[in-house]
Amino acid sequence: MTASAETPQNLSFVLEGIQKVKFEDRPIPQIVDPHDVIVNVKYTGVCGSDVHYWEHGAIGDFVVRDPMVLGHESSGVVSQVGPAVTTLKVGDRVSLEPGIPCRRCEPCKSGKYNLCIRMAFAATPPYDGTLAKYYRLPEDFCYKLPEQMTLQEGALVEPLSVAVHIVKQGEVRPGYSVVVFGAGPVGLLCCAVAKAFGASKIIAVDIQQGRLEFAKKYVASSTFLPQKVPAVENAARLKEENDLGPGADVVIDASGAEASVHTGIHVLRNGGTYVQGGMGKAEITFPIMAACTKELNVKGSFRYGSGDYKLAIELAASGRVNVKDLITGQVNFEDAERAIKDVKAGKGIKTIIAGI
């Protein structure tokens, strides 16, 4: 990696190709729309998608064809505001919602802007991400942080909002039993949000014992380590060990693993709800007979929508969801690639990169 010999104005962490990154001084973004805000980015979490782009250069149809700034889980301090901005001022600490919808297509107009067909999402080709000194967003996609929240916690509002959206999709209610497959950052946050929504049983499932131990200490009421047996056998043991009777009310998959999908469908009660939050292979085999005969509600979940960021901040600020304990590593901006390698190696739960 190389950096400019002169003092950079907007140093950015750029992915050029597969496992090829550099630091580059990009132009400082300017106010284009009167509602624009320029943010000095202070902290950015490393997401699995950042690792995937670094390792493979693509996620599905999204291919890195030109150099792209990585990062989308960020917080920062407002450094400039447009003439029409009324809700923020210079110096405000904010969490960034890193996807700008067109606001005109049918999904946007129907209130599901996360499904916008022209979404400009940070660090998704061809759009640059937030791992830079400065980043521009509309004011209504910058959320002012309450005094009791740190900027480090503000960087985790993005994955927390993903979890909020997933749990909303599951329509989790007080007294429900919820099984969450995958005890990574999003899975753990799904457990925490489910508890905040009133779930009485929250079972975390993972193949790594260390992550299960963290989940139990963090928020899960119990954990489950699958064995290399058919999904129906794992589902039966999961139900028996956790006194789920006919099955769980809601299953959330935050792993993307085919085995988790199968087990999740089989562990649900008749009429239960299954939510797919994790992305795995583009196509898998699916237990369609069980989904049909149990009359399951099978839903997808993609990013976050209206009200999700607001609720995420309220949950974190009130202490109902603890995001601070998920931060297990922090590196300086110049060590950004090391952070990506650490996440690839499975070190810790959530690693954040300090800004400049």
Side-chain angles (χ1 to χ4, degrees), residues 97-103 116 118-122 135-138 141:
E97 183 176 347
I100 305 173
C102 74
R103 307 179 192 259
C116 174
R118 289 183 289 274
M119 174 71 76
F121 197 85
Y135 191 76
R136 179 181 67 231
L137 272 177
F141 284 79

Side-chain angles (χ1 to χ4, degrees), residues 246 248 268-272 293-296:
L268 276 165
R269 64 165 171 81
N270 290 356
T293 58
K294 292 163 76 170
E295 203 167 280
L296 300 180

